[in-house]
Structure formats: structure tokens, C-alpha cells
Amino acid sequence: MSADKARAMGRFITFEGGEGSGKSTQVKLLAGHLRGAGYAVLETREPGGSPNAEAIREYLLSGKAEDKGPKAEAMLFAAARMDHLENTIRPALQAGTWVLCDRFMDSTRVYQGLDLDAQTIDLLEKITVEKTRPDMTILLDLPAKEGLNRARMRDPDAVRDRFEKEEEPVHEARRQAFLKLADSDPGRISVFDASRPAHIVETMVWKACRRRFDIRTPMGV
Ligand code: Z5A
């Protein structure tokens, strides 16, 4: 595909991983590389990314939905995702913008999937995501203990949200669930060692992205 033609089509790249694994950091860094290569880029996140979905995010992370059970929480994440896709992601992709999203459907599989059966998760994913599946998913893999330390060092006085306050073994089980997902879908999900310094992870992610989408840059930088 010619570079001009590639620029006319938006691509959808999602970032997944545990808390503090560096997703927000790497979204920004990859966005900078892509913009430098001439692409229009939208940085977004889940839950959130549209006004209605941001309202649902506040409700979910406050923990107010927790006592309604995992199925209700999963449905709220799905409702937020549906709005985000409809009002932010799909319009951007249709306009030729590359969308970089901090967490997406794999987070539901991992966070809600540990408490729900696979059929429920499959059904919710089918209803919300439809055909707008990520072209590439970057999984930042880090031992849970290290991610939690990084998140705490970033903001030592912050009140822990609904998911952050859970114990380290729960976060480690999620890490293993992400790795299992990557094993089951290696064509879409690429795993990166997020314990390396941020600039090394940045270089690895940009290299993988250039290769995946055949992005040519002067001198390969
Ligand atoms: N959730 C769910 O249950 N179901 C769903 O379907 C979805 C989400 C979509 C949203 O949390 C919560 O919602 C999430 C899952 C649940 N809960 N948890 N846990 P969020 O959006 O508020 O936060 P997060 O997604 O967990 O990410 P985070 O804590 O903000 O971390 P991060 O974005 O991965 O990392 P960061 O902010 O880029 O980096 C953290 C710190 O480490 C920071 O000080 C950096 O400067 C530093 N850093 C970054 N990279 C490095 C490297 N390589 N070395 C050293 N230090 C680094």
C-alpha cells in the first residue's frame, strides 16, 4: 500500500496491561512518532473517551457499582464502550485518524472476565465492539508489584479507586490473564517487557508499529 493511501485510512491501536505498566506514557510517545510521520492521531482512553462514557467512568471507578455485582459492572463498561465507539472512535477512524486507546475490550475480558463466564463476555463484546476491533494491541507486561509501586510513587496521597485498592495477587492474576489472551491472539496482541526503561519500551513499540503498518520514515527513525 502506498504511504498516501495508508494515511487516508485510520488505524485502531489499543494499549493494555496492569496498573502502572506505562500505558498512558506509551500512548503519548507513540502518538508523537505517528504525528511526526505525518498521521493524524487521536489519543483516548477507557472507560471514558466521550462525555457520556466519562460520566460512567466516574461512577464505576468511585466503586458505587461494585455491590451491584460483576455482571452489572461489565454492562456499565460495555455501555461506556458503545458510546465511546459511536461518538469518538468510529468517526475518527472514518476521517482517516489513527486512534490510540488506553485500555479497550481486553480489559473487560481480564478484569470482569475473572468473575464472569466467557459466554457473557463474548456476547457483550459482540454487541459493543461489532466490527471495530483493534488492528493492533500493545500489551505492556510488568509484574503486578512493580506496577503498583510505580502507580503509588506517581501519586502517593491519591485515594485508591475501585480497582486500584485490590490486593497484589488479584493484580498478578490479571497479568497472567492478559498474557493468556496474548497467547490466544498473537496476530493482534504484541507483548512488550514494560520493566525496561520507558525510552526502550518506546523504541520497541514504535519499531513493531512501523513493521505492522509498513510505515516508512527517513533513516527508519
Ligand atoms: N477497567 C475494567 O475493569 N474493565 C474495562 O473494560 C476497562 C477498565 C476498560 C481504569 O483505570 C480502571 O478500569 C482499571 C481497569 C478498569 N483499573 N485498574 N487498576 P485508570 O484508567 O484510572 O488507570 P490504569 O488504566 O490502571 O492506568 P494507570 O494506573 O494510570 O497506569 P498506566 O497508564 O499504565 O501507567 P503510566 O501512568 O504511564 O505510568 C505510571 C508511572 O510509571 C508514571 O509515574 C510513569 O512516569 C512511570 N513509568 C511509565 N513507564 C515507565 C517505565 N518504563 N519505567 C519506569 N517508570 C515508568
Side-chain angles (χ1 to χ4, degrees), residues 16-26 45-47 57 61 77-78 81 102-109 111-112 140 146-148 150-151 153-155 161-164 171 174 193-199 201:
E16 300 280 6
E19 201 199 340
S21 56
K23 298 177 301 300
S24 317
T25 303
Q26 295 301 329
R45 68 169 180 185
E46 287 211 349
R57 175 190 174 92
L61 298 195
F77 277 108
R81 180 159 304 134
D102 186 341
R103 294 195 183 278
F104 192 62
M105 61 187 200
D106 298 309
S107 282
T108 301
R109 285 214 169 262
Y111 284 75
Q112 284 63 56
L140 298 176
E146 209 174 314
L148 292 170
R150 279 188 194 168
M153 273 168 61
R154 178 187 55 192
D155 210 350
D161 72 30
R162 151 77 179 90
F163 297 94
E164 288 165 348
H171 288 279
R174 289 175 181 149
D193 177 0
S195 67
R196 311 282 305 276
H199 72 278
V201 181

Side-chain angles (χ1 to χ4, degrees), residues 159-219:
V159 178
R160 302 288 145 213
D161 72 30
R162 151 77 179 90
F163 297 94
E164 288 165 348
K165 68 180 166 58
E166 281 167 327
E167 301 294 327
E168 189 189 311
V170 178
H171 288 279
E172 190 57 37
R174 289 175 181 149
R175 176 192 181 203
Q176 298 307 325
F178 271 125
L179 289 171
K180 209 167 151 198
L181 260 185
D183 270 352
S184 71
D185 195 354
R188 173 175 65 86
I189 307 177
S190 299
V191 185
F192 296 87
D193 177 0
S195 67
R196 311 282 305 276
H199 72 278
I200 303 278
V201 181
E202 171 190 5
T203 304
M204 294 189 300
V205 167
W206 179 222
K207 194 173 167 194
C209 185
R210 283 203 326 261
R211 203 171 41 230
R212 176 73 60 93
F213 300 111
D214 195 21
I215 296 172
R216 311 277 165 89
T217 53
M219 316 290 284

Side-chain angles (χ1 to χ4, degrees), residues 85-116:
L85 277 160
E86 208 167 296
N87 293 300
T88 305
I89 296 176
R90 290 194 189 107
L93 292 171
Q94 276 154 19
T97 299
W98 287 47
V99 176
L100 306 190
C101 190
D102 186 341
R103 294 195 183 278
F104 192 62
M105 61 187 200
D106 298 309
S107 282
T108 301
R109 285 214 169 262
V110 165
Y111 284 75
Q112 284 63 56
L114 287 181
D115 297 315
L116 293 175

